[in-house]
Every structure is written in C-alpha cells, then in structure tokens.
DNA sequence: AGCACGCCGACT
DNA sequence: GTCGGCGTGCTC
C-alpha cells in the first residue's frame, strides 16, 4: 500500500474526485485513510484528505505526498463513509463534506511568497531588488503584485535568484504549558541546595519546594508559590537537578466554575415508560428512532440524562444536540453536574481554539458525552450508544450553506452504523417527524403531564384590533399592562417576547387584521419599497400596494415591524419603575454577555426580560409568572409554508416559560389575527388539533410531509440573465419530471437581491423522482462554464427549510 | 479555485 | 517583431 488517493482542498466541480499520490518510503506505515496530507497540486501545494490506500494507480506519473499533517487520522472509517453519503445526499463536493466534519481550527491556510534562493543571497540581486527586499529574505506575494516591479521579479525568478514558495499552514495553535519536575531523588536535591552559594536564594527556593513536593508542577505555579524565577529554574535544569517540558493543555471554557454534582431524579411512571424502550434499544444494540413528545416542563431532560447514563454503563458514548447551547447554560450545568468531566461542550460561542480543544477531548477518548449544536453530530466517537436531538423541530439543525445537511438525517445515518437509538425530543415536533411517528417509522413516546404537577399556564389571547378600536394605540394591551403592573408589585418576573423576524415585510390592515396574500400560493405577499408593489415569492404574482384594505376599505393598512429598543423605550414611559433587561443581537454580541444577562435576571436584578427568539427556549426560572408576546403575527406571515408551524411552536415554547414551578403562570398573547388556528391552538397548547389541521393544509398544497421539496436558486448580477437561466432550468425540470411532481417558478427569491446579485428560484415538489438528483447534477454541469466565467451561481437545496 | 498555456491586438 | 489581454483546460 504505497499509493494514497487524496481528496484535495479545492472545492470545484473539476477537482471533486480522487487524485493519486505516491507515499514516500518513510511514511508508508504512517499514512492512513482519514489523515490530512500536504500534496503538490499543479504548481502549488494544497491540503488533502487521504480517502484510501492502494497498490496500483491508473495514473502513471505520480507525484509524492509532501508530508502528513496528522499523526493519527482525523476522520475515522465511519466518518469517511459518512462524508461520501453527505456528498450524495446534499450534492456537495466531497472536500466540503469532509471539512464540515472537522473543527474549523484544522482548516488549512495557504501562503504564497517569494524568497531569496539560499546560495546566492541578497548580493545577486540588482540594487532595485535589494531596495525592495529591504533586508528581508522573503516577500509576501500580495506585496509582489502591488509592487511596480513584477516583471523584474519574474526575471530574477527565471535567473534562479528568487523562488516562489507555496506553503500550507496548519494555523492551529495548541495551547502548551511548561512543567517542571525533579530528575534526582530528594536527598540529591538537598545535597545540591546545600552546596549553593549564599546569594543563590531563588535557586534554593525552588529546591526547597521539590524537597517537600515530589512530582510535577507548572512553571507558573512554581514561580508563584516559591518566588523563584524562570532563569533559576533554567540553571537547575542545566545542572541536571530539574527537567522542564511542555504539555498540551485545553482551554477550558468553563474553568473557574464549579458544577455541583447532581444525582438522577426518581422518574415518574410516565417518564419510566418512555425511557424503557430507549434503554432497550441501547441494551440490544439495535438502531431505531424515537420521538419523545412531551409538553413543556414534562421532564424530557431527565430522561435524556438517564438514557445517556445507561449508554455509558454499557461502555458507550453519547451525542446530545441542543439548538444553541450558549442560550441554555442551565443545560450545560445539568450535564456537567451529572457526568462531570466526561462531557465536552461544543457550541458557536466558543472560540475556534476552544472548539478544537473540545473536539480533541472526544478524539482522544477523554470524554464520553458531547453536548453541542448542529455540528456536534459529527463528533468522532467510535462507539456511540445514543444520539439525542433536543427541540427536534428547531430550524438551526439544518445547515443553510453547503453542505446543506440536516442534523436529524445525519443522526439517523450514524445510528444505523452504530446500532444505537436516536431520540428526537420536543413539545412541538416538526410535522415531518410527527407524521413519521404516526406512521410508526419512528416510535412515539409521549409525556402528557408536567412535573411537580404544575399546571400549564393560563393563556389569554388579546385582539389588538379591538384595542385599537377602543383607542389604545400603544404596543401594550390593557390586559398585558395590568398584569405587568401586578407582577412588579408582587415582585414576580415577566418575560416579554417580541417576534421580530419578518420585519416590515408583510402588509396588514390594522383595522380588520387582513393580511395581503397571494391568490395562487396561499402565502403572504412581500412589500417592496422601491417599486411600491406587493410580490409573491413563490410564483410571479404581483400587485401595487393598495391604499385601502381590500376587505374592509380601511386606510389604516401598513407594513409591519417593531424593534426591541422601541419596546424598551415605551416600557420606560409607561412603567418607569420597572427594571428591564433587553436581550437581542445588540446586547448579546459579546461573548458571555448572554449568560451574564440571564444570570442577572435569575438573581432578580430585573423585573422584565425583554427579548427576541433567543429567550424562547430553555429559560427555567421559578419566579417567572407572566409571559407576554407582543405581536404573535409577525412570523405567521413570512413567505414560508412553515410559517404557521413556526408560529405555533414558538408561541407554545414561549408560553412554556411561565409557571414551571410552584407559582402558577399566565401568558398574554397579543395578536391581530386571534382567529388564526396556529395562534388559537397554541393558546390552548393543543398540538394534536394543530397537527391535524396543518396536515390537511400541507396535503392540499402539496408540501412536506406529503411531498419532498427541492429548491434551485439562481443568482447573477444581471436580472435578465438570472430570470432566463431560471426559466430554462424550470422548463428542463418540468419536462423531465413526472406529472405527479410540481415545478414552481421562475420566481424571485424572498431575498431577491443580495450583494447586488439578483436571485431567482425554482421549487420542485415531488413524491418520487429517482432521476431528480441526476437532473440537478446535469443542470450544474450544463452551466459550469458560465458559473466559472460569468459569475453565475446555482445553488441546490434538497429538502430546504428556508425558502429564501 | 489557481495557474499555465496559447492565440490575437497595440506598442517599445 | 514583442507585451499582454483573458479564453481554455489541467491539476495525480
């Protein structure tokens, strides 16, 4: 096996295949599949992944691998195979599939520079060149391009006085710490110390320490404790009394924090019953997907913890995905508390280095459990016993860039390899998941009761149109204002939720609540400021912005949007005594600020927590007795067929924040469309009815889970070009696909222009289309040239979650 | 994606 | 005659 097939780090159609390289003699036994290597590729050097080893190659003149970048594979055989699967499943490049599975710190950086040829040195150069180099022996390629002397430099290159160097940099910095240890027995140190001159007090201090403390200590600590100096230690090392060495250490994002040990709770009968089949699956090493459908506060987390515990008892590992872990320090707390140092935590709040360290702990088998966001699904465990996806319905599990994978699909794929269960947990499962559970594709496990037999909060839905009629034009209804005042008097806490997504895009009549919808697509129209038109983003429908509501003729028809700052201001006016913490992108930008704000709120330093999506989940504070949703509609009218589902889920989640403990909770939902089923039913916390109704609509409109979707988005700086290409693609697809499938388009994307590029799309709804993948590939190939030269972009999302 | 090779217009 | 524009095709 002295030939390696390598996937090179060049994400392009033409290089999306294996290239064979000779393995130099000295590395024949070192290089294994899954390792990164540096290989010569054309004139440059690039990073690559060894995909397989072989004896023979089709190709005759092979180049040699430059050098390995790892000492052990960073992708194990399972992950290599998973990468192949991802490639097929999401139509991405193989290199992109591999890159997405490893921490960002391991991504190569490239450097190109010119340097003096060693034997001739600076002297061989002309005066002008000498001036340019200005005493240095190398010069960055960018500088070469910027300089006026490019052709002169080229001359020198030809003469051999200069050379171009391509370098692959593994920009990773392992954090290292210096350690010191005695190398001779204590008596020996004593003896040495006695022989020291009087003035060598620093050396003596260090010796004294080691006489009473055998074993290693960090240099830092030694200096701090004994007052010795690094220089004295160095002397002692030279005298062969001590030795100094470095150790790789981990940045610990949770250092200086203690996690009080927690023990398993006693499960309720209901929890017990849900846990049993999961444990059975772990015990029998059989794969299977479970939907743990439990209302908010029903104790899903404890089931996760005990299932993981069972997996660990079988000597297995566990992956636990959560939507955005930094949002729920409580969750980390619970895991670290239960499994202490066996847990690695991976989320977007960590630095690149910290993420790498956590990943290394997994790779080195130092931890057994990983808790993390989407990408943690690729944790390089080799003996998985369970995969859990909490808040399964969350959109963040779908990656919105290449490779466009869904963590749920990856989880199920991995579970089949390992023979272990996947547990999808939610109080408001996605329709896709719930439908599969109904069809027994997944096993349905239900938790109907809240723990501590706390009641679900009482929900009031307030019709804001009515408020308007009675002359209240503020963003707080009379009821919400009264309840707020009451909480402040009783020193209880309130969460105010402002749903800001879909800012100012949809148009609604403030008098009757009528929202302008597309007559063909059953989604809301989007207001376009420039043309003053309302457009549908699925089909090509558009109308001028009306001045009067088509339903009730009122002229109080507006597009929508309110920001958290504005709410905060208004709160200050109407409730000046209230202490408010605002949480949005502005106030949580800095690392750790999120947690600080939450902690402050938990400690009772504020009466009201005001925020957007980010406060919808995971908050579990006993003193919250009121939850207010300022405008429940904003998300409802996004141009997305999942808008109702999202609204229902969000409202249910937010409502679940109230009254989880002893104090009973109340929820006030303000809306302009109280009669909408997703708002009405979320008020009743009635998922089953919502599910039934939404499924009917999905069936009627041919959306998931009844149909699969594929989205082709074309973008180009020229509008006409964009439209015509999309049109051709649409035609090609409609002519080639079966008559059961629906091809919609060409239509402008909801975000119709990004970075001065127009975006058009074609949406395919299908039930069975074995040729689809092939056709999509053909499209990409067909436009390859234009993609390359003309800046045309075609992106394909199989199973899209955002139709943007 | 880079980068070299190569084939046609305006210049020392 | 040559420098350099960027279209074409290759990278083991």
């Amino acid at each position: 096996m002295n030939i390696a097939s390598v996937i090179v780090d060049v994400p392009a159609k033409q290089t999306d295949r294996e290239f064979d390289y000779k393995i130099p003699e000295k590395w024949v036994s070192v290089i294994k599949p899954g390792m990164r290597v540096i290989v010569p590729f054309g004139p440059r050097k690039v990073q690559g992944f060894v995909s397989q080893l072989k004896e023979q190659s089709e190709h005759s003149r092979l180049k040699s691998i430059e050098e390995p970048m790892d000492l052990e594979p960073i992708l194990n055989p399972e992950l290599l195979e998973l990468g192949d699967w991802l490639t097929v499943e999401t139509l991405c490049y193989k290199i992109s599939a591999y890159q997405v599975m490893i921490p960002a710190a391991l991504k190569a950086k490239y450097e190109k520079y010119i340097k003096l040829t060693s034997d001739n040195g600076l002297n061989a150069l002309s005066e002008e060149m000498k001036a340019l180099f200005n005493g240095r022996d190398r010069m960055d390629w960018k500088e070469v391009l910027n300089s006026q002397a490019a052709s002169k430099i080229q001359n020198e290159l030809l003469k051999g006085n200069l050379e171009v160097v391509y370098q692959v940099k593994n920009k990773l910095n392992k954090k290292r710490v210096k350690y010191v240890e005695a190398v001779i027995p204590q008596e020996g140190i004593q003896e040495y110390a006695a022989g020291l001159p009087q003035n060598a007090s620093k050396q003596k201090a260090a010796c004294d320490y080691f006489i009473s403390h055998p074993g290693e200590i960090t240099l830092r600590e030694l200096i701090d404790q004994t007052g010795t100096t690094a220089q004295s230690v160095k002397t002692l090392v030279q005298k062969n009394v001590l030795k100094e060495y470095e150790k790789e250490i981990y940045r610990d994002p949770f250092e200086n924090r203690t996690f009080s040990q927690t023990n398993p709770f006693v499960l309720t009968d209901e929890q017990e019953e849900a846990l049993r089949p999961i444990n059975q699956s772990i015990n029998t090493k059989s794969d299977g997907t479970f939907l743990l459908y439990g209302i908010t506060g029903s104790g899903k987390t404890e089931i996760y913890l005990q299932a993981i515990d069972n997996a660990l008892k079988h000597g297995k590992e566990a992956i636990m995905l959560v939507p955005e872990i930094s949002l729920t320090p409580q969750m980390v707390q619970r895991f670290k508390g239960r499994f202490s140092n066996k847990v690695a935590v991976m989320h977007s709040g960590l630095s690149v280095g910290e993420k790498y360290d956590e990943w290394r702990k997994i790779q080195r088998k130092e931890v057994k459990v990983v808790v993390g966001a989407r990408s943690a699904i690729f944790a390089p465990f080799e003996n998985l016993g369970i995969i859990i996806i909490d808040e399964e319905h969350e959109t963040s599990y779908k990656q919105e860039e290449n490779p466009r994978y869904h963590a749920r699909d990856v989880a199920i794929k991995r579970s089949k390899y390992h023979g272990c269960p996947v547990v999808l947990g939610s109080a408001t499962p996605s329709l896709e998941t719930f439908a599969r559970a109904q069809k027994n594709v997944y096993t349905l496990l239900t938790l109907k009761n809240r723990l501590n037999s706390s009641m679900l909060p009482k929900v009031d839905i307030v019709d804001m149109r009515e408020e308007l009629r009675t002359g209240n034009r503020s963003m707080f209804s009379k009821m919400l204002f009264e309840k707020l005042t009451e909480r402040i008097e009783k020193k209880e806490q309130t969460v105010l939720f402002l749903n800001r997504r879909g800012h100012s895009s949809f148009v609604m009549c403030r008098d009757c609540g009528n929202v302008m919808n597309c007559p063909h697509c059953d989604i809301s129209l989007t207001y376009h400021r420039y043309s003053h038109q309302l457009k549908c983003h699925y089909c090509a429908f558009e109308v001028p912005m009306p001045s009067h509501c088509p339903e009730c003729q009122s002229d109080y028809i507006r597009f929508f949007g309110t920001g958290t700052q504005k709410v905060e201001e208004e709160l200050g006016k109407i409730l000046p005594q209230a202490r408010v913490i605002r949480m949005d992108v502005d106030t949580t930008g800095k690392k750790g600020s999120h947690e600080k704000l939450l902690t402050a709120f938990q400690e009772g330093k504020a009466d009201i927590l005001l925020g957007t999506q980010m406060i919808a989940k995971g908050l579990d504070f006993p003193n919250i007795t009121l939850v207010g949703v300022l405008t429940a509609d904003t998300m409802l009218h996004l141009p997305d067929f999942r808008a109702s589902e999202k609204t229902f889920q969000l409202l249910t989640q937010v409502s679940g924040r109230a009254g989880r403990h002893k104090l009973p909770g109340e929820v006030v939902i303000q809306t302009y469309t109280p009669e909408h089923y997703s708002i009405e039913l979320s008020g009743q916390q009635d998922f089953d009815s919502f599910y039934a109704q939404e499924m009917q609509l999905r069936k009627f409109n041919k959306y998931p889970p009844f149909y699969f979707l594929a989205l082709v988005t074309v973008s180009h700086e020229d509008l006409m070009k964009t439209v015509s290409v999309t049109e051709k693609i649409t035609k090609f697809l409609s002519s080639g696909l079966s008559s059961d499938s629906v091809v919609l388009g060409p239509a402008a994307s909801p975000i119709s222009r990004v970075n001065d590029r127009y975006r058009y799309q074609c949406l395919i709804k299908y039930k069975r289309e074995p040729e689809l993948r092939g056709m999509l590939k053909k499209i990409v190939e067909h436009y390859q040239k234009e993609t390359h030269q003309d800046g045309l972009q075609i992106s394909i999302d199989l199973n899209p979650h955002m139709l943007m």
Side-chain angles (χ1 to χ4, degrees), chain A residues 738-754:
Chain A
S738 80
S739 56
D740 299 333
S741 302
V742 182
V743 181
L744 292 177
S749 294
I751 303 169
S752 65
R753 203 163 72 133
V754 175

Side-chain angles (χ1 to χ4, degrees), chain A residues 169-221:
Chain A
K169 282 195 130 183
N170 198 357
K171 67 148 198 177
L172 172 78
N173 281 317
K174 283 183 188 165
K175 203 170 172 184
R176 290 171 182 285
V177 161
K178 282 185 177 159
Y179 277 79
V180 193
E181 193 178 14
V183 284
I184 53 175
Q186 276 141 310
E187 303 81 62
I189 305 172
Q190 222 147 13
E191 201 175 299
Y192 175 81
L196 279 170
Q198 208 63 61
N199 59 0
S201 62
K202 302 281 177 187
Q203 278 192 61
K204 184 154 190 315
C207 289
D208 286 346
Y209 172 86
F210 283 102
I211 290 165
S212 47
H213 303 81
E216 63 178 23
I217 181 172
T218 66
L219 181 61
R220 181 81 260 144
E221 275 179 77

Side-chain angles (χ1 to χ4, degrees), chain A residues 134 189 194 237 338 380-381:
Chain A
N134 192 21
I189 305 172
V237 170
R338 190 68 63 85
F381 283 131

Side-chain angles (χ1 to χ4, degrees), chain A residues 236-273:
Chain A
L236 288 166
V237 170
Q238 273 164 17
K239 296 272 158 64
N240 271 325
V241 177
L242 302 179
K243 67 173 174 188
E244 206 183 58
Y245 50 89
E246 286 187 331
K247 266 194 188 177
E248 179 187 346
I249 61 129
Y250 299 126
R251 284 150 276 229
D252 185 356
F254 297 98
E255 101 184 295
N256 303 327
R257 265 192 287 170
T258 52
F259 294 96
S260 50
Q261 182 76 34
T262 63
N263 292 313
F265 298 127
V266 178
L267 297 183
T268 63
D269 292 350
E270 204 181 47
Q271 286 176 309
E272 198 77 60
E273 214 166 291

Side-chain angles (χ1 to χ4, degrees), chain A residues 65-275:
Chain A
I65 286 178
E66 186 92 3
E67 62 179 89
M69 293 176 80
D70 304 298
L71 291 173
E72 51 188 313
I74 61 168
L75 293 174
N76 61 37
E78 186 217 346
L79 292 178
L80 279 173
E81 195 193 307
L82 193 65
D84 298 347
W85 174 82
L86 262 181
T87 307
V88 176
E89 209 62 23
T90 69
L91 297 179
C92 68
Y93 302 130
K94 198 159 275 187
I95 188 65
S96 313
Y98 289 162
Q99 299 277 29
V100 81
M101 299 197 278
I102 60 169
L106 295 181
K107 214 179 132 88
K109 292 274 175 295
Y110 298 97
E111 233 181 23
K112 182 183 181 184
Y113 59 91
I114 54 170
K115 75 168 221 239
L116 300 169
T117 317
S118 49
D119 34 320
N120 296 334
L122 209 57
N123 297 328
L125 298 180
S126 66
E127 287 305 315
E128 192 187 352
M129 283 290 118
K130 276 184 197 163
L132 205 54
F133 270 84
N134 192 21
R136 296 168 297 176
D137 62 349
R138 56 178 273 189
M139 203 165 121
D140 201 83
W141 188 251
K142 286 227 178 73
E143 205 180 326
V144 175
L145 293 177
N146 292 335
S147 75
Q148 303 302 306
S151 68
K152 296 222 167 73
I153 289 169
Q154 197 166 35
N155 264 335
E156 298 289 352
L157 286 169
L158 286 172
K159 275 195 262 170
N161 294 330
L162 292 176
E163 62 181 322
V164 183
V165 181
Y166 295 87
Q167 208 175 28
V168 182
K169 282 195 130 183
N170 198 357
K171 67 148 198 177
L172 172 78
N173 281 317
K174 283 183 188 165
K175 203 170 172 184
R176 290 171 182 285
V177 161
K178 282 185 177 159
Y179 277 79
V180 193
E181 193 178 14
V183 284
I184 53 175
Q186 276 141 310
E187 303 81 62
I189 305 172
Q190 222 147 13
E191 201 175 299
Y192 175 81
L196 279 170
Q198 208 63 61
N199 59 0
S201 62
K202 302 281 177 187
Q203 278 192 61
K204 184 154 190 315
C207 289
D208 286 346
Y209 172 86
F210 283 102
I211 290 165
S212 47
H213 303 81
E216 63 178 23
I217 181 172
T218 66
L219 181 61
R220 181 81 260 144
E221 275 179 77
L222 184 69
I223 291 169
D224 288 350
Q225 284 186 27
T226 65
T228 187
T229 60
Q231 187 49 52
S232 308
V233 171
K234 213 159 258 166
T235 312
L236 288 166
V237 170
Q238 273 164 17
K239 296 272 158 64
N240 271 325
V241 177
L242 302 179
K243 67 173 174 188
E244 206 183 58
Y245 50 89
E246 286 187 331
K247 266 194 188 177
E248 179 187 346
I249 61 129
Y250 299 126
R251 284 150 276 229
D252 185 356
F254 297 98
E255 101 184 295
N256 303 327
R257 265 192 287 170
T258 52
F259 294 96
S260 50
Q261 182 76 34
T262 63
N263 292 313
F265 298 127
V266 178
L267 297 183
T268 63
D269 292 350
E270 204 181 47
Q271 286 176 309
E272 198 77 60
E273 214 166 291
L275 179 59

Side-chain angles (χ1 to χ4, degrees), chain A residues 581-593:
Chain A
I581 290 182
R582 175 164 65 94
M583 271 179 86
D584 55 27
V585 264
D586 299 332
T587 63
T588 57
K590 258 199 256 154
K591 199 176 151 186
S593 56

Side-chain angles (χ1 to χ4, degrees), chain A residues 17 59 90 113 118 143 155 264 285 313 324 418 425 451-452 462 472-473 482 539 597 607 642 646 669 696 724 736:
Chain A
R17 59 189 172 89
H59 207 90
T90 69
Y113 59 91
S118 49
E143 205 180 326
N155 264 335
K285 296 185 176 64
K313 284 198 178 108
E324 240 328 324
H418 290 277
L451 292 180
N452 333 316
V462 178
N472 178 8
R473 292 209 165 187
E482 279 166 9
C539 70
L597 291 176
D607 308 300
R642 278 184 244 259
K646 296 277 157 55
I669 296 177
Q696 267 186 357
S724 82

Side-chain angles (χ1 to χ4, degrees), chain A residues 509-750:
Chain A
C509 170
R510 292 266 193 139
D511 270 322
C512 72
N514 174 49
V515 170
M516 296 290 291
N517 275 332
C518 172
H520 307 296
C521 302
D522 198 32
I523 53 142
S524 57
L525 293 169
T526 303
Y527 174 68
H528 285 243
R529 191 183 300 193
Y530 288 111
S531 54
H532 204 57
Q533 295 241 318
L534 298 176
K535 294 185 182 178
C536 170
H537 290 298
Y538 281 23
C539 70
F541 180 80
E542 56 180 78
V543 282
M545 168 79 183
S547 54
H548 296 271
C549 170
E551 295 291 321
C552 74
Q553 308 308 318
S554 160
D555 62 355
Y556 202 37
I557 180 166
R558 298 290 140 85
F559 51 89
F560 236 62
T562 315
T564 41
Q565 279 172 354
K566 231 174 119 190
V567 179
E568 195 181 18
E569 273 171 38
E570 193 156 326
L571 268 176
K573 278 184 212 148
I574 62 164
L575 284 170
Q577 73 276 32
R579 295 164 303 162
V580 181
I581 290 182
R582 175 164 65 94
M583 271 179 86
D584 55 27
V585 264
D586 299 332
T587 63
T588 57
K590 258 199 256 154
K591 199 176 151 186
S593 56
H594 199 124
E595 216 185 314
K596 259 186 215 141
L597 291 176
L598 282 182
T599 312
F601 186 62
Q602 184 172 21
E603 288 167 354
K605 289 186 182 142
D607 308 300
I608 298 171
L609 179 65
L610 166 67
T612 51
Q613 326 289 84
M614 55 177 72
I615 59 171
K617 340 168 169 84
L619 278 183
D620 190 1
F621 302 148
N623 206 28
I624 301 173
T625 59
L626 176 65
V627 168
V629 180
L630 292 173
T631 43
D633 322 72
T634 37
M635 195 182 238
L636 193 55
H637 306 297
L638 277 179
D640 188 327
F641 72 93
R642 278 184 244 259
S644 301
E645 181 184 346
K646 296 277 157 55
T647 301
F648 178 86
Q649 287 165 344
L650 201 68
L651 292 180
T652 309
Q653 297 285 341
V654 181
S655 304
R657 297 308 114 214
R660 291 167 73 96
H661 297 264
K662 288 199 188 86
L663 299 168
E666 280 189 294
V667 178
V668 177
I669 296 177
Q670 301 187 155
T671 172
Y672 288 88
T673 43
E675 66 282 354
H676 193 283
Y677 63 100
S678 69
I679 290 176
E680 207 178 325
L681 293 172
S682 74
Q684 296 158 23
Q685 311 241 347
D686 185 354
F687 177 77
D688 297 321
S689 303
F690 173 78
Y691 171 77
Q693 187 152 354
E694 182 69 11
M695 282 295 268
Q696 267 186 357
L697 273 174
R698 295 286 180 90
K699 188 171 188 178
F700 183 75
N701 290 315
K702 301 191 173 180
Y703 279 117
F706 296 95
Y707 279 72
F708 294 108
L709 296 183
L711 181 72
V712 181
T713 306
V714 177
S715 85
H716 191 269
E717 44 189 33
D718 179 35
L719 177 62
M720 292 314 291
K721 173 95 189 174
T722 315
V723 178
S724 82
V725 170
T726 318
E727 202 172 303
K728 278 182 199 131
I729 290 174
T730 309
K731 277 198 182 124
F732 171 71
L733 286 169
S734 4
S735 65
L737 296 178
S738 80
S739 56
D740 299 333
S741 302
V742 182
V743 181
L744 292 177
S749 294

